[in-house]
Amino acid sequence: KIRSRHSFMVHGGTFFPFVLISDNSILAFSVEFLGSYVDLTHDSVLFHSKAVYKSSESIIMLGIPVSIDFKSGADVPLNKNNKTMFSLGGGLFFGGTNRYTNNNTQQFPFLPIPFIKAEAGFFAGIAFKLRGAAYFGKSNLIDRPTGNIFADGDVMETKTSGGYGYHVSLVLMPF
């Protein structure tokens, strides 16, 4: 089993309105930056009484999410009377994760990863939003020899892969 420990995330961005649907809703082009760090820790893997494997790997995800969003409420620059806000959007995340391959080097492929997001919040001097985003696709994070843990020279292979997943965050918008 592999567990996620010590995860951190930095996320910032802005949007540019391009279609005014009504006084209370717009379509906007959003450009953001996302960086996240997760420490994947292997539980103790017992091969036999004299061989236990424990290790952790740092996974970093960096990129630029670009999306088209429907925004309503306080997000619409023309309307400051409405205190609630909602948005729904989708686009491509241009980025990726570090990968560890057979030659023990890190590779950072920058591939377009599709995603969707939804936000709901309110304005009270600054904007508070609850945001959820889901990323689609599969990433092969680790595929390499781990090392010689047996006396007879056999080398253990480590392979870790999975979906890009989702995140839920509280967004504070002071500006």
mmCIF file of all heavy atoms in Angstrom, residues 98-133:
data_model
loop_
_atom_site.group_PDB
_atom_site.id
_atom_site.type_symbol
_atom_site.label_atom_id
_atom_site.label_comp_id
_atom_site.label_asym_id
_atom_site.label_seq_id
_atom_site.Cartn_x
_atom_site.Cartn_y
_atom_site.Cartn_z
ATOM 1 N N ASN A 98 6.422 15.085 -11.882
ATOM 2 C CA ASN A 98 7.733 14.470 -12.058
ATOM 3 C C ASN A 98 7.552 12.964 -12.103
ATOM 4 O O ASN A 98 6.642 12.427 -11.499
ATOM 5 C CB ASN A 98 8.689 14.895 -10.950
ATOM 6 C CG ASN A 98 8.209 14.497 -9.574
ATOM 7 O OD1 ASN A 98 7.007 14.417 -9.316
ATOM 8 N ND2 ASN A 98 9.123 14.258 -8.671
ATOM 9 N N ARG A 99 8.398 12.302 -12.857
ATOM 10 C CA ARG A 99 8.349 10.843 -12.949
ATOM 11 C C ARG A 99 9.745 10.309 -12.733
ATOM 12 O O ARG A 99 10.721 10.921 -13.137
ATOM 13 C CB ARG A 99 7.881 10.387 -14.336
ATOM 14 C CG ARG A 99 6.536 10.867 -14.735
ATOM 15 C CD ARG A 99 6.140 10.333 -16.078
ATOM 16 N NE ARG A 99 7.282 10.090 -16.954
ATOM 17 C CZ ARG A 99 7.192 9.508 -18.128
ATOM 18 N NH1 ARG A 99 6.048 9.117 -18.581
ATOM 19 N NH2 ARG A 99 8.252 9.318 -18.877
ATOM 20 N N TYR A 100 9.808 9.165 -12.121
ATOM 21 C CA TYR A 100 11.084 8.491 -11.922
ATOM 22 C C TYR A 100 11.100 7.280 -12.837
ATOM 23 O O TYR A 100 10.217 6.432 -12.761
ATOM 24 C CB TYR A 100 11.238 8.060 -10.464
ATOM 25 C CG TYR A 100 11.305 9.221 -9.513
ATOM 26 C CD1 TYR A 100 10.163 9.745 -8.934
ATOM 27 C CD2 TYR A 100 12.528 9.794 -9.200
ATOM 28 C CE1 TYR A 100 10.231 10.815 -8.055
ATOM 29 C CE2 TYR A 100 12.609 10.862 -8.329
ATOM 30 C CZ TYR A 100 11.465 11.364 -7.761
ATOM 31 O OH TYR A 100 11.539 12.424 -6.903
ATOM 32 N N THR A 101 12.082 7.221 -13.732
ATOM 33 C CA THR A 101 12.104 6.159 -14.740
ATOM 34 C C THR A 101 13.287 5.225 -14.511
ATOM 35 O O THR A 101 14.057 5.387 -13.582
ATOM 36 C CB THR A 101 12.193 6.769 -16.154
ATOM 37 O OG1 THR A 101 13.386 7.545 -16.227
ATOM 38 C CG2 THR A 101 10.994 7.643 -16.448
ATOM 39 N N ASN A 102 13.454 4.258 -15.413
ATOM 40 C CA ASN A 102 14.470 3.215 -15.251
ATOM 41 C C ASN A 102 15.897 3.735 -15.122
ATOM 42 O O ASN A 102 16.738 3.095 -14.525
ATOM 43 C CB ASN A 102 14.394 2.219 -16.401
ATOM 44 C CG ASN A 102 13.270 1.230 -16.182
ATOM 45 O OD1 ASN A 102 12.877 0.967 -15.051
ATOM 46 N ND2 ASN A 102 12.736 0.696 -17.256
ATOM 47 N N ASN A 103 16.202 4.883 -15.689
ATOM 48 C CA ASN A 103 17.571 5.392 -15.556
ATOM 49 C C ASN A 103 17.711 6.323 -14.339
ATOM 50 O O ASN A 103 18.667 7.075 -14.244
ATOM 51 C CB ASN A 103 18.028 6.082 -16.840
ATOM 52 C CG ASN A 103 17.129 7.248 -17.223
ATOM 53 O OD1 ASN A 103 16.224 7.619 -16.478
ATOM 54 N ND2 ASN A 103 17.382 7.814 -18.387
ATOM 55 N N ASN A 104 16.727 6.266 -13.421
ATOM 56 C CA ASN A 104 16.754 7.021 -12.157
ATOM 57 C C ASN A 104 16.786 8.536 -12.333
ATOM 58 O O ASN A 104 17.252 9.259 -11.472
ATOM 59 C CB ASN A 104 17.929 6.594 -11.278
ATOM 60 C CG ASN A 104 17.490 5.619 -10.213
ATOM 61 O OD1 ASN A 104 16.301 5.389 -10.028
ATOM 62 N ND2 ASN A 104 18.445 5.048 -9.520
ATOM 63 N N THR A 105 16.337 9.035 -13.449
ATOM 64 C CA THR A 105 16.272 10.483 -13.634
ATOM 65 C C THR A 105 14.824 10.924 -13.531
ATOM 66 O O THR A 105 13.898 10.168 -13.809
ATOM 67 C CB THR A 105 16.825 10.902 -15.009
ATOM 68 O OG1 THR A 105 16.054 10.249 -16.022
ATOM 69 C CG2 THR A 105 18.284 10.513 -15.152
ATOM 70 N N GLN A 106 14.645 12.156 -13.129
ATOM 71 C CA GLN A 106 13.286 12.709 -13.076
ATOM 72 C C GLN A 106 12.948 13.296 -14.438
ATOM 73 O O GLN A 106 13.776 13.965 -15.048
ATOM 74 C CB GLN A 106 13.193 13.806 -12.026
ATOM 75 C CG GLN A 106 13.312 13.298 -10.625
ATOM 76 C CD GLN A 106 13.042 14.394 -9.628
ATOM 77 O OE1 GLN A 106 12.293 15.324 -9.892
ATOM 78 N NE2 GLN A 106 13.657 14.287 -8.468
ATOM 79 N N GLN A 107 11.731 13.042 -14.891
ATOM 80 C CA GLN A 107 11.243 13.632 -16.134
ATOM 81 C C GLN A 107 9.991 14.413 -15.812
ATOM 82 O O GLN A 107 9.204 14.023 -14.965
ATOM 83 C CB GLN A 107 10.923 12.559 -17.166
ATOM 84 C CG GLN A 107 12.138 11.773 -17.590
ATOM 85 C CD GLN A 107 11.773 10.681 -18.572
ATOM 86 O OE1 GLN A 107 10.607 10.414 -18.820
ATOM 87 N NE2 GLN A 107 12.779 10.057 -19.144
ATOM 88 N N PHE A 108 9.812 15.521 -16.475
ATOM 89 C CA PHE A 108 8.656 16.362 -16.199
ATOM 90 C C PHE A 108 7.888 16.600 -17.492
ATOM 91 O O PHE A 108 8.097 17.611 -18.160
ATOM 92 C CB PHE A 108 9.114 17.697 -15.619
ATOM 93 C CG PHE A 108 8.280 18.128 -14.469
ATOM 94 C CD1 PHE A 108 8.778 18.076 -13.192
ATOM 95 C CD2 PHE A 108 6.986 18.570 -14.655
ATOM 96 C CE1 PHE A 108 8.016 18.469 -12.122
ATOM 97 C CE2 PHE A 108 6.225 18.955 -13.593
ATOM 98 C CZ PHE A 108 6.731 18.910 -12.329
ATOM 99 N N PRO A 109 7.014 15.688 -17.888
ATOM 100 C CA PRO A 109 6.289 15.888 -19.146
ATOM 101 C C PRO A 109 5.211 16.962 -18.989
ATOM 102 O O PRO A 109 4.461 16.957 -18.022
ATOM 103 C CB PRO A 109 5.649 14.521 -19.391
ATOM 104 C CG PRO A 109 5.461 13.957 -18.028
ATOM 105 C CD PRO A 109 6.592 14.493 -17.191
ATOM 106 N N PHE A 110 5.179 17.917 -19.908
ATOM 107 C CA PHE A 110 4.125 18.930 -19.891
ATOM 108 C C PHE A 110 3.110 18.565 -20.951
ATOM 109 O O PHE A 110 3.310 18.821 -22.133
ATOM 110 C CB PHE A 110 4.710 20.328 -20.114
ATOM 111 C CG PHE A 110 5.279 20.901 -18.858
ATOM 112 C CD1 PHE A 110 6.546 20.576 -18.440
ATOM 113 C CD2 PHE A 110 4.516 21.726 -18.061
ATOM 114 C CE1 PHE A 110 7.065 21.075 -17.261
ATOM 115 C CE2 PHE A 110 5.016 22.237 -16.874
ATOM 116 C CZ PHE A 110 6.295 21.909 -16.483
ATOM 117 N N LEU A 111 2.038 17.922 -20.508
ATOM 118 C CA LEU A 111 0.998 17.413 -21.381
ATOM 119 C C LEU A 111 -0.322 18.091 -21.040
ATOM 120 O O LEU A 111 -0.559 18.442 -19.884
ATOM 121 C CB LEU A 111 0.842 15.902 -21.171
ATOM 122 C CG LEU A 111 2.104 15.057 -21.323
ATOM 123 C CD1 LEU A 111 1.851 13.643 -20.826
ATOM 124 C CD2 LEU A 111 2.557 15.047 -22.759
ATOM 125 N N PRO A 112 -1.218 18.264 -22.007
ATOM 126 C CA PRO A 112 -2.538 18.802 -21.665
ATOM 127 C C PRO A 112 -3.389 17.743 -20.962
ATOM 128 O O PRO A 112 -3.596 16.660 -21.483
ATOM 129 C CB PRO A 112 -3.131 19.198 -23.012
ATOM 130 C CG PRO A 112 -2.371 18.413 -24.025
ATOM 131 C CD PRO A 112 -1.030 18.091 -23.441
ATOM 132 N N ILE A 113 -3.840 18.082 -19.754
ATOM 133 C CA ILE A 113 -4.663 17.186 -18.950
ATOM 134 C C ILE A 113 -6.047 17.821 -18.816
ATOM 135 O O ILE A 113 -6.162 18.930 -18.288
ATOM 136 C CB ILE A 113 -4.038 16.982 -17.557
ATOM 137 C CG1 ILE A 113 -2.618 16.414 -17.684
ATOM 138 C CG2 ILE A 113 -4.908 16.089 -16.686
ATOM 139 C CD1 ILE A 113 -1.808 16.513 -16.415
ATOM 140 N N PRO A 114 -7.127 17.191 -19.292
ATOM 141 C CA PRO A 114 -8.455 17.784 -19.175
ATOM 142 C C PRO A 114 -8.922 17.845 -17.714
ATOM 143 O O PRO A 114 -8.604 16.968 -16.911
ATOM 144 C CB PRO A 114 -9.364 16.872 -19.999
ATOM 145 C CG PRO A 114 -8.575 15.649 -20.269
ATOM 146 C CD PRO A 114 -7.139 15.910 -19.986
ATOM 147 N N PHE A 115 -9.676 18.903 -17.387
ATOM 148 C CA PHE A 115 -10.212 19.038 -16.036
ATOM 149 C C PHE A 115 -11.538 19.792 -16.072
ATOM 150 O O PHE A 115 -11.855 20.477 -17.042
ATOM 151 C CB PHE A 115 -9.217 19.752 -15.105
ATOM 152 C CG PHE A 115 -9.100 21.233 -15.338
ATOM 153 C CD1 PHE A 115 -9.830 22.138 -14.583
ATOM 154 C CD2 PHE A 115 -8.260 21.733 -16.315
ATOM 155 C CE1 PHE A 115 -9.720 23.498 -14.794
ATOM 156 C CE2 PHE A 115 -8.136 23.085 -16.529
ATOM 157 C CZ PHE A 115 -8.868 23.976 -15.762
ATOM 158 N N ILE A 116 -12.303 19.618 -14.991
ATOM 159 C CA ILE A 116 -13.519 20.404 -14.768
ATOM 160 C C ILE A 116 -13.428 20.978 -13.359
ATOM 161 O O ILE A 116 -12.716 20.451 -12.512
ATOM 162 C CB ILE A 116 -14.813 19.569 -14.930
ATOM 163 C CG1 ILE A 116 -14.810 18.376 -13.977
ATOM 164 C CG2 ILE A 116 -15.011 19.141 -16.366
ATOM 165 C CD1 ILE A 116 -16.118 17.624 -13.932
ATOM 166 N N LYS A 117 -14.136 22.082 -13.129
ATOM 167 C CA LYS A 117 -14.125 22.688 -11.798
ATOM 168 C C LYS A 117 -15.465 23.341 -11.512
ATOM 169 O O LYS A 117 -16.204 23.717 -12.418
ATOM 170 C CB LYS A 117 -12.999 23.709 -11.667
ATOM 171 C CG LYS A 117 -13.158 24.931 -12.545
ATOM 172 C CD LYS A 117 -12.001 25.889 -12.345
ATOM 173 C CE LYS A 117 -12.151 27.089 -13.258
ATOM 174 N NZ LYS A 117 -11.066 28.054 -13.086
ATOM 175 N N ALA A 118 -15.755 23.478 -10.227
ATOM 176 C CA ALA A 118 -16.953 24.173 -9.764
ATOM 177 C C ALA A 118 -16.570 24.959 -8.518
ATOM 178 O O ALA A 118 -15.747 24.520 -7.718
ATOM 179 C CB ALA A 118 -18.068 23.186 -9.443
ATOM 180 N N GLU A 119 -17.158 26.141 -8.377
ATOM 181 C CA GLU A 119 -16.888 26.997 -7.224
ATOM 182 C C GLU A 119 -18.199 27.571 -6.717
ATOM 183 O O GLU A 119 -19.089 27.904 -7.495
ATOM 184 C CB GLU A 119 -15.979 28.173 -7.609
ATOM 185 C CG GLU A 119 -14.664 27.792 -8.191
ATOM 186 C CD GLU A 119 -13.888 28.982 -8.733
ATOM 187 O OE1 GLU A 119 -14.488 30.015 -9.056
ATOM 188 O OE2 GLU A 119 -12.657 28.851 -8.829
ATOM 189 N N ALA A 120 -18.293 27.714 -5.412
ATOM 190 C CA ALA A 120 -19.433 28.376 -4.788
ATOM 191 C C ALA A 120 -18.895 29.198 -3.626
ATOM 192 O O ALA A 120 -17.987 28.747 -2.916
ATOM 193 C CB ALA A 120 -20.461 27.366 -4.297
ATOM 194 N N GLY A 121 -19.422 30.408 -3.450
ATOM 195 C CA GLY A 121 -18.906 31.230 -2.369
ATOM 196 C C GLY A 121 -19.750 32.453 -2.097
ATOM 197 O O GLY A 121 -20.861 32.609 -2.612
ATOM 198 N N PHE A 122 -19.178 33.350 -1.280
ATOM 199 C CA PHE A 122 -19.866 34.592 -0.926
ATOM 200 C C PHE A 122 -18.834 35.698 -0.740
ATOM 201 O O PHE A 122 -17.644 35.452 -0.526
ATOM 202 C CB PHE A 122 -20.711 34.414 0.336
ATOM 203 C CG PHE A 122 -19.909 34.056 1.561
ATOM 204 C CD1 PHE A 122 -19.450 35.040 2.433
ATOM 205 C CD2 PHE A 122 -19.617 32.735 1.846
ATOM 206 C CE1 PHE A 122 -18.705 34.715 3.542
ATOM 207 C CE2 PHE A 122 -18.874 32.399 2.966
ATOM 208 C CZ PHE A 122 -18.419 33.395 3.819
ATOM 209 N N PHE A 123 -19.304 36.924 -0.849
ATOM 210 C CA PHE A 123 -18.459 38.102 -0.701
ATOM 211 C C PHE A 123 -18.780 38.780 0.623
ATOM 212 O O PHE A 123 -19.918 39.143 0.881
ATOM 213 C CB PHE A 123 -18.687 39.073 -1.871
ATOM 214 C CG PHE A 123 -17.822 40.287 -1.811
ATOM 215 C CD1 PHE A 123 -16.490 40.217 -2.180
ATOM 216 C CD2 PHE A 123 -18.335 41.498 -1.379
ATOM 217 C CE1 PHE A 123 -15.683 41.338 -2.123
ATOM 218 C CE2 PHE A 123 -17.533 42.626 -1.319
ATOM 219 C CZ PHE A 123 -16.203 42.542 -1.693
ATOM 220 N N ALA A 124 -17.761 38.944 1.481
ATOM 221 C CA ALA A 124 -17.927 39.623 2.769
ATOM 222 C C ALA A 124 -16.674 40.450 3.026
ATOM 223 O O ALA A 124 -15.862 40.132 3.880
ATOM 224 C CB ALA A 124 -18.144 38.599 3.883
ATOM 225 N N GLY A 125 -16.489 41.493 2.237
ATOM 226 C CA GLY A 125 -15.271 42.287 2.316
ATOM 227 C C GLY A 125 -14.187 41.720 1.424
ATOM 228 O O GLY A 125 -13.569 42.419 0.649
ATOM 229 N N ILE A 126 -13.949 40.414 1.531
ATOM 230 C CA ILE A 126 -13.162 39.662 0.556
ATOM 231 C C ILE A 126 -14.008 38.454 0.156
ATOM 232 O O ILE A 126 -14.959 38.094 0.840
ATOM 233 C CB ILE A 126 -11.785 39.224 1.116
ATOM 234 C CG1 ILE A 126 -11.936 38.234 2.260
ATOM 235 C CG2 ILE A 126 -10.957 40.408 1.558
ATOM 236 C CD1 ILE A 126 -10.605 37.627 2.692
ATOM 237 N N ALA A 127 -13.655 37.856 -0.964
ATOM 238 C CA ALA A 127 -14.440 36.712 -1.435
ATOM 239 C C ALA A 127 -13.900 35.414 -0.848
ATOM 240 O O ALA A 127 -12.699 35.202 -0.775
ATOM 241 C CB ALA A 127 -14.404 36.650 -2.952
ATOM 242 N N PHE A 128 -14.817 34.562 -0.407
ATOM 243 C CA PHE A 128 -14.512 33.224 0.081
ATOM 244 C C PHE A 128 -15.188 32.240 -0.855
ATOM 245 O O PHE A 128 -16.383 32.355 -1.113
ATOM 246 C CB PHE A 128 -15.073 33.012 1.494
ATOM 247 C CG PHE A 128 -14.454 33.897 2.528
ATOM 248 C CD1 PHE A 128 -14.982 35.152 2.787
ATOM 249 C CD2 PHE A 128 -13.346 33.475 3.252
ATOM 250 C CE1 PHE A 128 -14.426 35.980 3.747
ATOM 251 C CE2 PHE A 128 -12.788 34.296 4.213
ATOM 252 C CZ PHE A 128 -13.321 35.553 4.460
ATOM 253 N N LYS A 129 -14.418 31.271 -1.364
ATOM 254 C CA LYS A 129 -14.980 30.267 -2.270
ATOM 255 C C LYS A 129 -14.549 28.872 -1.853
ATOM 256 O O LYS A 129 -13.428 28.676 -1.390
ATOM 257 C CB LYS A 129 -14.481 30.480 -3.703
ATOM 258 C CG LYS A 129 -15.048 31.642 -4.431
ATOM 259 C CD LYS A 129 -14.521 31.589 -5.856
ATOM 260 C CE LYS A 129 -15.012 32.761 -6.662
ATOM 261 N NZ LYS A 129 -14.502 32.693 -8.033
ATOM 262 N N LEU A 130 -15.423 27.934 -2.067
ATOM 263 C CA LEU A 130 -15.085 26.527 -1.951
ATOM 264 C C LEU A 130 -14.974 26.014 -3.385
ATOM 265 O O LEU A 130 -15.924 26.141 -4.164
ATOM 266 C CB LEU A 130 -16.157 25.765 -1.176
ATOM 267 C CG LEU A 130 -15.830 24.323 -0.839
ATOM 268 C CD1 LEU A 130 -14.582 24.246 0.042
ATOM 269 C CD2 LEU A 130 -16.999 23.674 -0.137
ATOM 270 N N ARG A 131 -13.802 25.488 -3.743
ATOM 271 C CA ARG A 131 -13.540 25.064 -5.117
ATOM 272 C C ARG A 131 -13.247 23.574 -5.149
ATOM 273 O O ARG A 131 -12.521 23.050 -4.312
ATOM 274 C CB ARG A 131 -12.336 25.804 -5.681
ATOM 275 C CG ARG A 131 -11.844 25.232 -7.007
ATOM 276 C CD ARG A 131 -10.579 25.884 -7.466
ATOM 277 N NE ARG A 131 -10.902 27.205 -7.942
ATOM 278 C CZ ARG A 131 -10.006 28.064 -8.367
ATOM 279 N NH1 ARG A 131 -8.732 27.761 -8.355
ATOM 280 N NH2 ARG A 131 -10.384 29.245 -8.798
ATOM 281 N N GLY A 132 -13.812 22.919 -6.140
ATOM 282 C CA GLY A 132 -13.498 21.523 -6.403
ATOM 283 C C GLY A 132 -13.080 21.379 -7.853
ATOM 284 O O GLY A 132 -13.689 21.981 -8.731
ATOM 285 N N ALA A 133 -12.035 20.623 -8.101
ATOM 286 C CA ALA A 133 -11.573 20.384 -9.466
ATOM 287 C C ALA A 133 -11.204 18.912 -9.610
ATOM 288 O O ALA A 133 -10.669 18.307 -8.680
ATOM 289 C CB ALA A 133 -10.366 21.255 -9.800
#
